[in-house]
């Protein structure tokens, strides 16, 4: 689990979020995840999961994602749930990058104004379990490959 992270490692000038401070997740109720790819200009338009969303999911956080179009739709294909109707996720299907980001930030503001509904925790728990299951399945597959 994330609790087993080696927090004593020295990462030099690398991003200080490695290893991340779990307290950040314990002290907050939701994550706004700015993923690596946005699809803007020459940026890769492909769906791409990074540690940023994995941290939110692994720490049982509801999230809003700033990324490529249909990012949430792609997550759903992997068995994750998103937070609609508690979060306005219409931004996900917007093709125009700038407009998609504005719509996503509008959703953030709306959640900040209303608060994170308690129902979102059940979705976050489902997502965390899905992540754990996918990890375990991948490890079994790799063991099968390397043990053969």
């Amino acid at each position: 689990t994330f609790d087993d992270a080696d927090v004593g490692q020295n990462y030099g000038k690398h991003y200080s979020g490695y290893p991340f401070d779990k307290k950040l997740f314990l002290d907050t109720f939701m994550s706004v995840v700015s993923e690596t790819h946005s699809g803007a200009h020459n940026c890769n338009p492909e769906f791409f999961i990074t540690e940023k969303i994995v941290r939110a999911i692994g720490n049982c956080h509801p999230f809003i994602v700033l990324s490529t179009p249909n990012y949430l739709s792609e997550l759903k294909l992997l068995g994750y749930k998103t937070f609609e109707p508690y979060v306005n996720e219409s931004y996900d299907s917007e093709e125009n990058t700038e407009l998609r980001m504005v719509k996503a930030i509008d959703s953030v503001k709306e959640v900040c104004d209303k608060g994170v509904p308690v129902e979102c925790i059940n979705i976050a728990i489902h997502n965390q379990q899905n992540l754990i299951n996918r990890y375990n399945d991948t490890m079994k597959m790799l063991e099968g490959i390397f043990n053969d």
Side-chain angles (χ1 to χ4, degrees), residues 90-138:
S90 63
Y91 68 87
D92 188 53
S93 61
E94 177 58 54
E95 292 292 326
N96 179 288
T97 302
E98 288 182 31
L99 187 53
R100 185 173 58 260
M101 299 304 153
V102 167
K103 287 181 175 185
I105 296 304
D106 287 346
S107 292
V108 171
K109 182 181 180 327
E110 189 175 309
V111 169
C112 288
D113 289 345
K114 293 180 180 178
V116 178
V118 105
E119 293 87 356
C120 288
I121 194 65
N122 290 327
I123 297 169
I125 290 168
H126 165 87
N127 287 340
Q128 184 186 52
Q129 191 58 57
N130 186 49
L131 178 67
I132 291 167
N133 292 343
R134 292 176 63 79
Y135 168 82
N136 289 334
D137 291 347
T138 300

Side-chain angles (χ1 to χ4, degrees), residues 19-76:
F20 69 90
D21 183 353
K22 187 170 182 166
K23 188 171 179 343
L24 295 172
F25 290 94
L26 293 172
D27 290 346
T28 58
F29 299 103
M30 183 167 210
S31 291
V32 177
V33 178
S34 179
E35 273 292 12
T36 301
H37 295 171
S38 70
H41 311 294
N42 293 326
C43 185
N44 191 331
E46 299 298 317
F47 171 72
F48 184 66
I49 293 179
T50 71
E51 81 288 348
K52 298 170 196 76
I53 193 67
V54 170
R55 276 195 204 128
I57 293 170
N59 282 284
C60 217
H61 248 215
F63 53 79
I64 292 175
V65 182
L66 305 169
S67 190
T68 52
N70 303 308
Y71 187 93
L72 297 177
S73 298
E74 293 288 337
L75 274 181
K76 289 177 186 177

